[in-house]
Amino acid sequence: MKIAILGATGNVGTRLTDEALQRGHLVTALARSAESLPARAGLTTKNIDVNQPAALAQAFAGHDVVISSLKFLNNDPRRIIDAVKATGQAAGNSTRLLVVGGAGSLFGTPGVQIVDTPDFPAAYKSEALAGREFLNTLKGEAELDWTFLSPSALLLPGERTGKFRLGQDDLLIDATGKSSISIEDYAIAMIDEAETPRHTRKRFTVGY
Ligand SMILES: NC(=O)c1ccc[n+]([C@@H]2O[C@H](COP(=O)([O-])OP(=O)(O)OC[C@H]3O[C@@H](n4cnc5c(N)ncnc54)[C@H](OP(=O)(O)O)[C@@H]3O)[C@@H](O)[C@H]2O)c1
């Protein structure tokens, strides 16, 4: 597959790029400093700013899937969504958009998203609220082929185990009461979804 990864130089984006390349996909890494990434077979890099709509749509052209791994704060969802739609329209098809999500919009108890609970860390609140807004914008899209993958509460570099659970809208908690996933395992779940769409026009989550 041809996969464009926006934010490919970031914490999550680098692991998504590694996972996709390891599986033999052709990856276009996009970020303002993408050209700083080391050269590898199957990898093309292109420096781009998300605030350049025409260039963004052009950069997405020819890819089966676009994965966005940008921070949500100060990032208008419309820029990415409209660029993906423009790309699909120009090609006469529907380019898929997969979004690296946040955990804040997951439900910890029925009807309560964790970002709205008093214990939610203040340092992550603005980013989590912006992530929820992004998800809500996707839900309002009539035709876009989108998927939003929320990590568990802790998303940190770690091991690539391949052993994890998938869920829908509820926060996953392991047997020790912890909600976590390594970025490496998160990347497996995301590239699995890119290869085999199982959560079209839905949010899902991954955790131990
Ligand atoms: N548990 C959780 O809920 C949790 C935990 C961690 C992360 N996350 C989510 O995961 C996502 C990715 O986070 P991360 O930690 O990987 O972020 P990050 O390391 O800050 O990476 C952000 C990426 O976006 C690129 N970027 C920033 N501004 C850009 C612009 N104007 N145009 C083009 N590219 C731009 C950066 O590269 P350049 O600077 O080169 O442009 C970089 O590649 C976020 O949505 C975050 O909310 C969720």
Side-chain angles (χ1 to χ4, degrees):
M1 292 180 82
K2 286 194 77 179
I3 304 177
I5 301 181
L6 182 60
T9 59
N11 291 320
V12 180
T14 48
R15 272 86 175 183
L16 293 172
T17 302
D18 291 348
E19 182 66 28
L21 288 174
Q22 194 176 310
R23 298 193 196 188
H25 296 298
L26 297 177
V27 174
T28 304
L30 304 169
R32 291 167 303 180
S33 62
E35 287 166 18
S36 66
L37 289 170
R40 277 176 286 172
L43 179 66
T44 304
T45 58
K46 188 172 170 53
N47 287 350
I48 194 143
D49 192 309
V50 72
N51 300 306
Q52 302 168 321
L56 200 60
Q58 213 171 19
F60 291 163
H63 294 86
D64 304 296
V65 177
V66 171
I67 304 179
S68 174
S69 187
L70 260 52
K71 288 257 163 66
F72 294 115
L73 201 55
N74 303 320
N75 175 16
D76 180 352
R78 289 252 60 91
R79 292 200 186 96
I80 296 167
I81 291 170
D82 290 350
V84 170
K85 285 165 79 173
T87 305
Q89 277 158 10
N93 62 23
S94 169
T95 305
R96 294 169 60 210
L97 172 62
L98 272 51
V99 178
V100 174
S105 55
L106 292 167
F107 291 87
T109 51
V112 182
Q113 291 172 306
I114 62 169
V115 66
D116 294 325
T117 59
D119 294 342
F120 194 84
Y124 302 126
K125 186 142 183 169
S126 307
E127 174 69 7
L129 289 172
R132 174 164 72 185
E133 192 54 40
F134 202 118
L135 176 59
N136 288 339
T137 304
L138 288 171
K139 286 180 177 171
E141 279 295 318
E143 285 159 22
L144 181 71
D145 186 335
W146 63 269
T147 299
F148 185 100
L149 175 52
S150 287
S152 288
L154 290 176
L155 175 67
L156 295 169
E159 263 186 85
R160 183 186 186 281
T161 71
K163 290 180 192 152
F164 48 74
R165 293 182 293 151
L166 299 182
Q168 292 289 326
D169 289 313
D170 294 336
L171 184 73
L172 291 172
I173 295 176
D174 70 16
T176 69
K178 204 166 128 188
S179 174
S180 71
I181 187 75
S182 72
I183 307 182
E184 288 75 3
D185 279 341
Y186 177 93
I188 296 179
M190 182 64 101
I191 304 302
D192 283 351
E193 182 68 24
E195 289 177 346
T196 310
R198 291 197 175 93
H199 302 90
T200 299
R201 297 181 53 77
K202 281 189 185 130
R203 177 260 291 284
F204 73 113
T205 186
V206 56
Y208 298 123

